[in-house]
Coordinates of all heavy atoms in Angstrom, one line a residue:
S4 N 225.5 62.2 90.8 CA 224.5 62.9 91.5 C 225.1 64.2 92.1 O 226.3 64.4 92.1 CB 223.9 62.1 92.7 OG 224.9 61.9 93.7
V5 N 224.2 65.1 92.5 CA 224.6 66.4 93.1 C 225.4 66.1 94.3 O 226.5 66.7 94.5 CB 223.4 67.2 93.4 CG1 223.8 68.4 94.4 CG2 222.6 67.7 92.2
E6 N 225.0 65.2 95.2 CA 225.8 64.9 96.3 C 227.1 64.3 96.0 O 228.1 64.6 96.7 CB 225.0 63.9 97.3 CG 223.9 64.6 98.1 CD 224.4 65.8 98.8 OE1 225.5 65.7 99.6 OE2 223.9 66.9 98.8
D7 N 227.2 63.4 95.0 CA 228.5 62.8 94.6 C 229.4 64.0 94.2 O 230.6 63.9 94.5 CB 228.3 61.8 93.5 CG 227.7 60.5 94.0 OD1 227.8 60.3 95.2 OD2 227.1 59.8 93.1
R8 N 228.9 64.9 93.3 CA 229.7 66.0 92.9 C 230.1 66.9 94.0 O 231.3 67.4 94.1 CB 229.0 66.8 91.8 CG 229.0 66.0 90.4 CD 228.3 66.9 89.4 NE 226.8 66.9 89.6 CZ 226.0 67.8 89.2 NH1 226.5 68.9 88.7 NH2 224.7 67.7 89.4
Y9 N 229.2 67.1 94.9 CA 229.5 68.0 96.1 C 230.6 67.3 97.0 O 231.6 68.0 97.4 CB 228.3 68.1 96.9 CG 228.5 69.0 98.2 CD1 228.3 70.4 98.1 CD2 228.9 68.5 99.4 CE1 228.5 71.2 99.2 CE2 229.1 69.2 100.5 CZ 228.9 70.6 100.4 OH 229.1 71.4 101.5
D10 N 230.6 66.0 97.1 CA 231.6 65.3 97.9 C 232.9 65.3 97.3 O 234.0 65.5 97.9 CB 231.2 63.9 98.1 CG 230.0 63.7 99.1 OD1 229.7 64.7 99.8 OD2 229.3 62.6 99.1
L11 N 233.0 65.2 95.9 CA 234.2 65.3 95.2 C 234.9 66.7 95.3 O 236.1 66.9 95.6 CB 234.0 65.0 93.7 CG 234.2 63.6 93.2 CD1 233.8 63.5 91.8 CD2 235.6 63.1 93.4
I12 N 234.0 67.7 95.2 CA 234.5 69.1 95.3 C 235.0 69.5 96.6 O 236.0 70.2 96.7 CB 233.4 70.1 94.8 CG1 233.2 69.9 93.3 CG2 233.7 71.6 95.1 CD1 231.9 70.5 92.8
T13 N 234.4 69.0 97.7 CA 234.7 69.5 99.0 C 235.6 68.5 99.8 O 236.0 68.9 100.9 CB 233.4 69.7 99.8 OG1 232.7 68.4 99.9 CG2 232.6 70.8 99.2
R14 N 235.9 67.3 99.3 CA 236.7 66.4 100.1 C 238.2 66.9 100.3 O 238.7 67.7 99.4 CB 236.8 65.0 99.5 CG 237.5 64.9 98.2 CD 237.5 63.5 97.7 NE 238.3 63.3 96.5 CZ 238.5 62.1 95.9 NH1 238.0 61.0 96.5 NH2 239.1 62.0 94.8
N15 N 238.8 66.6 101.4 CA 240.2 66.9 101.7 C 240.4 68.5 101.9 O 241.5 69.0 101.7 CB 241.1 66.4 100.7 CG 241.1 64.9 100.6 OD1 240.9 64.2 101.7 ND2 241.3 64.3 99.5
L16 N 239.3 69.2 102.1 CA 239.4 70.7 102.4 C 239.3 71.0 103.9 O 238.8 70.1 104.6 CB 238.3 71.4 101.6 CG 238.3 71.3 100.1 CD1 237.0 72.0 99.5 CD2 239.6 71.9 99.5
V17 N 239.7 72.2 104.2 CA 239.6 72.5 105.6 C 238.4 73.5 105.9 O 238.0 73.7 107.0 CB 240.9 73.2 106.2 CG1 242.0 72.2 106.1 CG2 241.3 74.4 105.4
A18 N 237.9 74.1 104.8 CA 236.7 75.0 104.9 C 236.0 75.1 103.6 O 236.6 75.2 102.5 CB 237.2 76.4 105.4
V19 N 234.7 75.2 103.7 CA 233.8 75.6 102.6 C 232.9 76.7 103.1 O 232.2 76.6 104.0 CB 232.9 74.4 102.1 CG1 232.0 74.7 101.0 CG2 233.8 73.2 101.7

Side-chain angles (χ1 to χ4, degrees):
S4 68
V5 168
E6 281 306 310
D7 287 340
R8 284 183 284 149
Y9 181 89
D10 289 343
L11 267 175
I12 289 165
T13 60
R14 70 177 181 175
N15 298 327
L16 297 176
V17 296
V19 178

